[in-house]
Amino acid sequence: KEYNRSEITRSYSYAMQEVFLFSNTIEANIALYNPNTQLENVEKYAKIAEVDEFASSFPEGYQSLIGEKGFGLSGGQKQRVAIARALLKDAPIIVLDDCTSALDMETESKIFKNIKKHCQGKTLLVATHRASAVKDADEILFFENGSIVERGTHEELMNLNGRYTDIYNLQTGEEVFVNE
């Protein structure tokens, strides 16, 4: 009650699994929260989110028009635009809710490495089904049936040799034997 609504909405940005994009340019979709930003700023965050990888191949680059709900882009391309949009808002809290589900693990890894490098001092909340996406997190909460069943850093959870370890090994194809 001590904060007004606009203060709260400025405090966070988010990218979700299901992305809504507008019938507009790639640049305008990324700059949604700051429409007066310079193209250089859009490109900076687009590179962090690996948007540049595909946008630069379009004949009109960031000025390429996309259809309503992102028509003309793949699911992974839409998610990358949404991540760039969330990052460009420059909020102190960034919520990423399964926003890389349509990406391959290599692209996802690049994006999270870029985010880690460029988002120092921000609070990042990441909900994901891929354990590899959060292995560098300060704290991981492993949920099962709506309850936290394990909690800790990647190393701590791997040392537990519990559910997180099972999922991580299954998803990465790694066999890690800890404390044998």
Side-chain angles (χ1 to χ4, degrees), residues 39-95:
L39 177 60
E40 296 79 32
N41 204 30
V42 169
E43 290 174 341
K44 171 187 171 185
Y45 291 101
K47 286 178 181 162
I48 294 169
E50 298 289 320
V51 172
D52 197 57
E53 178 191 52
F54 66 87
S56 60
S57 69
F58 292 165
E60 295 182 34
Y62 288 94
Q63 299 311 311
S64 297
L65 287 171
I66 54 176
E68 193 74 27
K69 297 183 182 177
F71 183 76
L73 297 180
S74 72
Q77 290 170 333
K78 290 186 239 183
Q79 287 182 335
R80 288 185 265 180
V81 169
I83 293 167
R85 175 193 293 169
L87 297 174
L88 185 136
K89 186 176 177 184
D90 200 29
I93 301 168
I94 303 168
V95 179

Side-chain angles (χ1 to χ4, degrees), residues 139-144 147-154 156-168:
E139 183 171 26
I140 300 166
L141 304 176
F142 188 88
F143 284 81
E144 207 165 61
S147 297
I148 299 171
V149 293
E150 295 177 358
R151 179 182 200 155
T153 65
H154 173 74
E156 290 167 344
L157 293 176
M158 292 301 285
N159 285 332
L160 283 177
N161 210 16
R163 293 290 299 132
Y164 175 85
T165 304
D166 292 343
I167 295 295
Y168 183 84

Side-chain angles (χ1 to χ4, degrees), residues 112-179:
F112 279 113
K113 192 176 293 181
N114 293 343
I115 288 172
K116 182 179 179 182
K117 180 179 175 184
H118 289 89
C119 293
Q120 296 292 315
K122 296 188 183 292
T123 299
L124 217 63
L125 299 172
V126 180
T128 183
H129 289 92
R130 290 188 188 154
S132 61
V134 294
K135 74 179 204 174
D136 291 327
D138 294 333
E139 183 171 26
I140 300 166
L141 304 176
F142 188 88
F143 284 81
E144 207 165 61
N145 299 320
S147 297
I148 299 171
V149 293
E150 295 177 358
R151 179 182 200 155
T153 65
H154 173 74
E155 186 177 301
E156 290 167 344
L157 293 176
M158 292 301 285
N159 285 332
L160 283 177
N161 210 16
R163 293 290 299 132
Y164 175 85
T165 304
D166 292 343
I167 295 295
Y168 183 84
N169 290 340
L170 180 69
Q171 291 177 352
T172 61
E174 294 182 19
E175 283 290 330
V176 179
F177 298 101
V178 181
N179 295 333

Side-chain angles (χ1 to χ4, degrees), residues 102-115:
L103 299 175
D104 60 84
M105 287 180 74
E106 182 181 341
T107 304
E108 177 187 66
S109 177
K110 286 180 191 176
I111 291 171
F112 279 113
K113 192 176 293 181
N114 293 343
I115 288 172

